[in-house]
Amino acid sequence: MRFDELKTPAYVIDEKMLIHNLEILHKVEEDTGCHILLAQKAFSAYAEYPLIGKYISGTTASGIYEARLGAECMGKENHVFAPAFTDEDMDELVNICDHVVFNSVSQLKKHKARCIEAGVSFGLRVNPEFSTQGDHAIYDPCAPGSRLGVTLKNLKAALEEEPDVLSGMEGIHFHTLCEQNSDDLEATLKAVEEKFGFLMKDMKWVNFGGGHHITREDYDIETLEKCISHVKKKYDVQVYVEPGEAVALNAGYLVTTVLDKVENGITTLILDASAACHMPDVLEMPYTPPLRGGLKISDMEDEYGIDKDIEIDFDMDVKEGIWKPAKNGRYRYRLSSYTCLAGDIIGDYQFGREINVGDRLVFEDMAIYSMVKNNTFNGIQLPDIVIMDSDGECKVWKHFGYEDFKGRL
Ligand SMILES: *Cc1c(COP(=O)(O)O)cnc(C)c1O
């Protein structure tokens, strides 16, 4: 099936782009000898795990089922981190994971005997208390009061009380970035070394967490590789990097159809897709997703320095994807959904042509944090999951129906 023939709504995974990203990640492994793991919480489309496993070292999980999926469907290195593990989860995790990262000294104490017994390498997540994220407090594990990672103060107190409390521990983990470049990693690493360097000498591995936007066009890979090589050499450890986003960045689309047009001062297009149900990060983060052939009104100001209330005299040429002087005036629409939630608004966009009922619209960069976070609020259907191979041939991998809605309730 071709892209234009797909039934909507559908998430389409673009294998060509996925491979492009994986080649970049594979080269970082080759250049530095580090191990890169897919953070499954961003992208768990296990249909692609065999492909991903050809390029990188394995998977990491944020919970028990992700851990199981990584073991079952990729079967390479399998790590897990969670703020806490139940005894029941730990029973299974030590059988399917080779690395476990604890969030606190108390969790480490509680579960470490079982890790040692099962021959599982365990480590501790630290909090360098070094924020590099400006706006997104919800994604900042270094924000004041954060529950994520052990602070130096807490670690020292635990060591004072029980000097060999960390015995048997083999790794240090930090995760503080989100969609960031390697200058922020470099600065963070300095803070981690200053505070926790005394531990790193005795470790077998250091995990740099996720949030590295390695496959983004302007990402400085040289600095990343410098950071990895520095830690490997100075502390004689293996280095892990566990990106989620970077693996499937720009490697997927959400294809939708315009169902209706509502006029009320502005023109709203009602789509068979929903921000609340199918792309929750649009509301949660929040952000406006890129749209093929459409310009985000918010970008006019942020990226092009044009006041968004001013009439502009150019439009996006849909066919060529470039700016052209506007011929037929401007077409501005609010893109929204067929749920009942008033705030289920995807964003305001401008087009180079009129958009009509029945037209298809394609949201870009929809592989990550989409399929893993969607829901059936309002009883609307979940988008199909479609795989598009390097020749553009599309295959429906999963179709969801009423039973998927009913089955969870
Ligand atoms: C979220 C997360 C990741 C992946 O983050 P991305 O921003 O998707 O790269 C990796 N490790 C941990 C511990 C995380 O919480």
Side-chain angles (χ1 to χ4, degrees), residues 12-29:
V12 180
I13 298 168
D14 183 343
E15 284 190 335
K16 196 168 166 181
M17 273 307 294
L18 190 60
I19 291 169
H20 166 81
N21 292 342
L22 289 166
E23 281 172 346
I24 292 170
L25 298 173
H26 181 70
K27 183 157 189 302
V28 174
E29 284 207 3

Side-chain angles (χ1 to χ4, degrees), residues 80-95:
V80 64
F81 161 81
F85 299 105
T86 64
D87 286 330
E88 206 183 340
D89 286 352
M90 197 45 72
D91 284 341
E92 183 176 347
L93 289 171
V94 295
N95 290 322

Side-chain angles (χ1 to χ4, degrees), residues 39 41-42 60 62 81 125 173 175 177-179 209-212 242-246 369:
K41 77 163 193 245
T60 186
S62 302
F81 161 81
R125 176 168 173 173
H173 179 289
H175 169 77
L177 306 180
C178 179
E179 300 189 336
H212 317 277
E242 46 179 32
E245 285 215 10
Y369 294 106

Side-chain angles (χ1 to χ4, degrees), residues 374-387:
N374 63 16
N375 63 77
T376 56
F377 182 52
N378 273 221
I380 68 171
Q381 70 186 117
L382 290 172
D384 288 351
I385 297 177
V386 174
I387 293 179

Side-chain angles (χ1 to χ4, degrees), residues 36-40 49 57-61 66-67 69-71 74-80:
I36 296 183
L37 310 168
L38 163 70
Q40 296 174 88
Y49 282 14
S57 293
T59 42
T60 186
E66 281 185 6
L69 193 71
M74 195 173 311
K76 298 186 75 177
E77 264 190 72
N78 199 24
H79 297 222
V80 64

